[in-house]
Amino acid sequence: MTAKIAFLGPKATFTDLAVSRLFPNDIKIPMNTIPDCLDAVRDGEVNHALVPIENALEGSVNITMDYLVHEVTLPMKGEVTIPIQQHYMVHPDHAYPGFKPDMVYSHSHAIAQCRKFLHNELRGIPYEYVTSTAAAAKMVMENPDINIAAIANDMAAEEYGLTITKQNIHDYEHNHTKFIVVSNSEVDYEGHLTVEGDKKTTLMIQLPADHSGQLHQVLSAFSWRKLNLSKIESRPMKTGLGNYFFIIDIEMSLDDVLIPGAISELEALGCTVSIMGSYTCFKVQTGVPQR
Amino acid sequence: MTAKIAFLGPKATFTDLAVSRLFPNDIKIPMNTIPDCLDAVRDGEVNHALVPIENALEGSVNITMDYLVHEVTLPMKGEVTIPIQQHYMVHPDHAYPGFKPDMVYSHSHAIAQCRKFLHNELRGIPYEYVTSTAAAAKMVMENPDINIAAIANDMAAEEYGLTITKQNIHDYEHNHTKFIVVSNSEVDYEGHLTVEGDKKTTLMIQLPADHSGQLHQVLSAFSWRKLNLSKIESRPMKTGLGNYFFIIDIEMSLDDVLIPGAISELEALGCTVSIMGSYTCFKVQTGVPQR
């Protein structure tokens, strides 16, 4: 059955790339904000949402976790990791050797990710920020008469008919961006164009009070059970300074013994624990969509 | 002596608010990206830089810590926390009861932070993203002939001569944004318009390998010394998936015994530890600048 998937728009951003690879046969619905995507799942307007959780260019990853902790209770049902691959692109009319733009457009974070390229190959050429890498590509497409260029992904180059004149201009080879799938129902990943990887369980843990050694005590519940943690992050509670919650990723599926045992032990210590989700991790191996 | 302080521009953003309160008597120099600010300190073009580290609206906080870990070695010399206070503002010509805009402009994260207000009081009115809250205010100032409004901070209202018709429209009372001061020299906070708070020491810790319980072992070095941690965050190394480093904040100044002892113990375990800085924390108590 075809599902409706909400994602953080606009079209042709890295989020669109993620949703297109993970759900190639479903209906993608771009939305304006991360909360809009999550509300749409809660209200049954869509089946699932795909939202950024780590290193996103557009949209704050803090908003995703905070909204799931404070506003809507929806389980995480999948994760997808995409390498951040930025390309330098121009209007096809300008795709000749030696073309020098008067201005380069991109999202501010993309500009920050491609500093070595800008410094070495386009030194002194000013850049201007727009609200997304896709918006930058659109602007280049709509203005063939002026000498401008964009930094964006392959999907944007294809969507707006631009020519990539220099590939992979990002500073770090292994930088990636990560998204989660959030849904109230079963998620069907059939036909996905990604590599299926490990299982993961995400917990939200609130400590009863702020005193030294408490986090250490919390982690011992995982440590003596040999539960490997792949992520730990403290976040302010928004109920006042000094109150924190922790997000912890455990590198296994929710089982019947180990994770429930760790949770009981934490609750006995006075912690509040929520299972945010237990799910499969997928990886996109290249930024170039397969067709 | 007057110092030169680089900050993430444009003018009248929350970063500008932070730098103006912490360094009211110094010269503020807006820059385009977080790396530009840090490079300017390294190259001696400015004395200090103020860059976002937590919950920033404009600029990715990940870029700040990653750049300090991977690219430039500069010590953290201070922290400043500002409550996130967003206001609804219009051109003075439109500051009458019952004015309804055709469009609301702001940064995407600010729109996401004011969803309850937008839903309850401006339902159905479209919004459009611009690259900063200050850019939204500027757009309203420059277009008195069209019916538009902006969401931004008080500094932007003042800078661009707009009228705030509804104050404090953000969803969360206790949400805040945090910045750090980075410098190669002594920082003089004389005359700062903020509340001086606790001391803090930030460490970067790299574990020798990824196996269960190792983070627990690391934290025990702090726990048995009763060193309280106020933040812990794992970040991917960018040298490949699966390699992480940790940023840890300890709630005290770098001393001669406890923190060096913990660091020696961690190094004996095979960890790599860097002291990112030991510094004073400041708090801005209100978003309204004192004059």
Side-chain angles (χ1 to χ4, degrees):
Chain A
M1 205 196 81
T2 310
K4 284 192 220 168
I5 327 274
F7 73 101
L8 182 66
K11 277 193 307 182
T13 59
F14 278 91
T15 317
D16 190 1
L17 195 53
V19 73
S20 303
R21 300 299 298 275
L22 203 54
F23 300 105
N25 307 314
D26 294 308
I27 300 162
K28 303 180 296 174
I29 302 172
M31 298 212 163
N32 280 319
T33 66
I34 292 168
D36 285 346
C37 296
L38 298 173
D39 286 352
V41 175
R42 180 197 59 198
D43 300 341
E45 291 164 20
V46 297
N47 300 93
H48 323 308
L50 187 141
V51 286
I53 195 78
E54 190 177 294
N55 277 352
L57 280 188
E58 294 105 4
S60 159
V61 298
N62 289 339
I63 288 174
T64 297
M65 202 46 92
D66 287 356
Y67 205 75
L68 288 175
V69 166
H70 294 292
E71 297 285 337
V72 298
T73 306
L74 291 170
M76 297 162 72
K77 289 284 178 72
E79 177 191 283
V80 58
T81 302
I82 293 194
I84 296 178
Q85 294 176 315
Q86 303 284 8
H87 310 300
Y88 175 70
M89 53 192 73
V90 297
H91 194 277
D93 294 357
H94 298 148
Y96 51 84
F99 169 74
K100 281 279 172 200
D102 297 324
M103 181 78 79
V104 178
Y105 289 87
S106 196
H107 188 276
S108 61
H109 299 185
I111 295 278
Q113 286 168 349
C114 300
R115 292 185 77 252
K116 286 170 193 164
F117 168 80
L118 290 168
H119 185 76
N120 295 334
E121 307 209 16
L122 295 173
R123 196 173 315 180
I125 292 174
Y127 43 83
E128 201 168 302
Y129 298 153
V130 286
T131 53
S132 70
T133 49
K138 187 159 180 265
M139 176 168 279
V140 171
M141 181 269 284
E142 287 171 348
N143 292 283
D145 300 337
I146 54 175
N147 289 341
I148 58 176
I151 292 174
N153 64 24
D154 339 58
M155 196 177 199
E158 165 144 332
E159 174 80 27
Y160 297 109
L162 303 186
T163 305
I164 293 174
T165 52
K166 179 105 187 193
Q167 280 194 311
N168 297 326
I169 59 166
H170 44 279
D171 293 343
Y172 291 101
E173 198 50 51
H174 294 281
N175 205 1
H176 63 270
T177 184
K178 209 175 260 188
F179 303 87
I180 53 165
V181 178
V182 168
S183 179
N184 268 321
S185 55
E186 279 302 298
V187 181
D188 180 5
Y189 293 108
E190 211 187 305
H192 68 87
L193 303 171
T194 53
V195 177
E196 204 168 319
D198 300 332
K199 307 285 180 183
K200 199 181 264 188
T201 302
T202 300
L203 302 184
M204 189 281 264
I205 302 171
Q206 242 187 296
L207 305 187
D210 235 18
H211 66 69
S212 72
Q214 198 144 35
L215 181 60
H216 176 250
Q217 202 178 8
V218 163
L219 293 186
S220 72
F222 300 102
S223 169
W224 76 258
R225 287 179 175 85
K226 298 203 190 302
L227 292 170
N228 204 15
L229 306 183
S230 58
K231 172 182 166 173
I232 178 164
E233 190 177 339
S234 56
R235 292 276 313 139
M237 265 312 279
K238 296 191 180 184
T239 53
L241 283 170
N243 296 311
Y244 286 83
F245 65 88
F246 292 87
I247 300 294
I248 281 175
D249 284 355
I250 307 167
E251 287 187 327
M252 63 179 274
S253 289
L254 183 61
D255 65 334
D256 292 332
V257 178
L258 289 171
I259 297 179
I263 292 173
S264 302
E265 194 176 318
L266 294 176
E267 286 171 344
L269 292 172
C271 297
T272 306
V273 185
S274 307
I275 300 169
M276 307 284 290
S278 184
Y279 48 89
T280 303
C281 302
F282 297 89
K283 277 179 198 168
V284 174
Q285 290 222 295
T286 163
V288 184
Q290 291 167 352
R291 273 172 217 102
Chain B
M1 207 197 82
T2 310
K4 284 193 219 165
I5 327 275
F7 73 102
L8 182 67
K11 277 195 306 181
T13 58
F14 278 91
T15 317
D16 190 1
L17 196 54
V19 74
S20 303
R21 300 300 298 277
L22 202 55
F23 300 104
N25 308 315
D26 293 309
I27 300 162
K28 304 181 294 176
I29 301 172
M31 298 210 164
N32 280 319
T33 66
I34 292 168
D36 285 346
C37 295
L38 299 173
D39 285 353
V41 175
R42 180 197 58 197
D43 299 341
E45 292 165 18
V46 297
N47 300 94
H48 323 308
L50 188 140
V51 286
I53 195 78
E54 190 177 294
N55 277 351
L57 281 186
E58 294 106 2
S60 159
V61 298
N62 289 341
I63 287 173
T64 297
M65 201 48 90
D66 287 356
Y67 205 74
L68 287 176
V69 166
H70 294 291
E71 296 286 336
V72 297
T73 306
L74 292 170
M76 299 163 72
K77 289 284 178 72
E79 177 192 283
V80 58
T81 302
I82 294 194
I84 295 178
Q85 294 177 316
Q86 301 285 9
H87 311 300
Y88 175 71
M89 54 193 72
V90 297
H91 194 277
D93 296 355
H94 298 148
Y96 52 81
F99 169 73
K100 281 278 173 203
D102 297 324
M103 183 75 81
V104 178
Y105 290 86
S106 197
H107 189 276
S108 61
H109 298 183
I111 296 279
Q113 286 168 349
C114 300
R115 292 183 76 250
K116 287 172 191 164
F117 167 80
L118 290 168
H119 186 75
N120 295 333
E121 307 209 16
L122 295 173
R123 198 173 315 181
I125 292 175
Y127 43 82
E128 201 168 302
Y129 298 152
V130 286
T131 53
S132 70
T133 49
K138 187 159 180 266
M139 176 168 278
V140 171
M141 181 269 284
E142 287 170 347
N143 293 283
D145 300 338
I146 54 175
N147 290 339
I148 59 176
I151 292 174
N153 64 23
D154 338 59
M155 198 175 197
E158 165 145 332
E159 174 80 25
Y160 296 110
L162 303 186
T163 306
I164 294 174
T165 52
K166 180 105 186 192
Q167 279 194 312
N168 296 326
I169 60 165
H170 45 278
D171 293 343
Y172 291 101
E173 197 51 49
H174 293 282
N175 206 359
H176 63 269
T177 183
K178 209 175 260 187
F179 303 86
I180 53 165
V181 178
V182 169
S183 179
N184 267 321
S185 54
E186 279 303 297
V187 182
D188 179 5
Y189 292 109
E190 211 188 304
H192 68 87
L193 304 170
T194 52
V195 177
E196 203 167 320
D198 299 332
K199 305 286 179 183
K200 199 182 265 187
T201 302
T202 300
L203 302 184
M204 189 279 263
I205 301 171
Q206 239 187 296
L207 305 187
D210 236 18
H211 65 71
S212 73
Q214 199 146 34
L215 181 59
H216 176 249
Q217 203 178 8
V218 163
L219 293 185
S220 71
F222 301 101
S223 168
W224 77 259
R225 288 179 175 86
K226 297 202 189 304
L227 291 171
N228 205 14
L229 306 184
S230 57
K231 172 182 166 173
I232 178 163
E233 191 176 340
S234 57
R235 293 275 313 138
M237 265 311 279
K238 298 190 179 184
T239 52
L241 283 169
N243 296 311
Y244 287 83
F245 65 89
F246 292 87
I247 300 294
I248 281 175
D249 285 354
I250 307 168
E251 287 187 327
M252 63 179 273
S253 289
L254 184 62
D255 65 335
D256 293 332
V257 179
L258 290 171
I259 297 179
I263 292 173
S264 301
E265 194 175 319
L266 294 175
E267 286 172 344
L269 291 171
C271 297
T272 306
V273 185
S274 307
I275 300 169
M276 307 283 291
S278 183
Y279 49 88
T280 303
C281 301
F282 297 88
K283 278 179 197 167
V284 173
Q285 290 221 296
T286 162
V288 183
Q290 292 166 354
R291 278 172 216 102

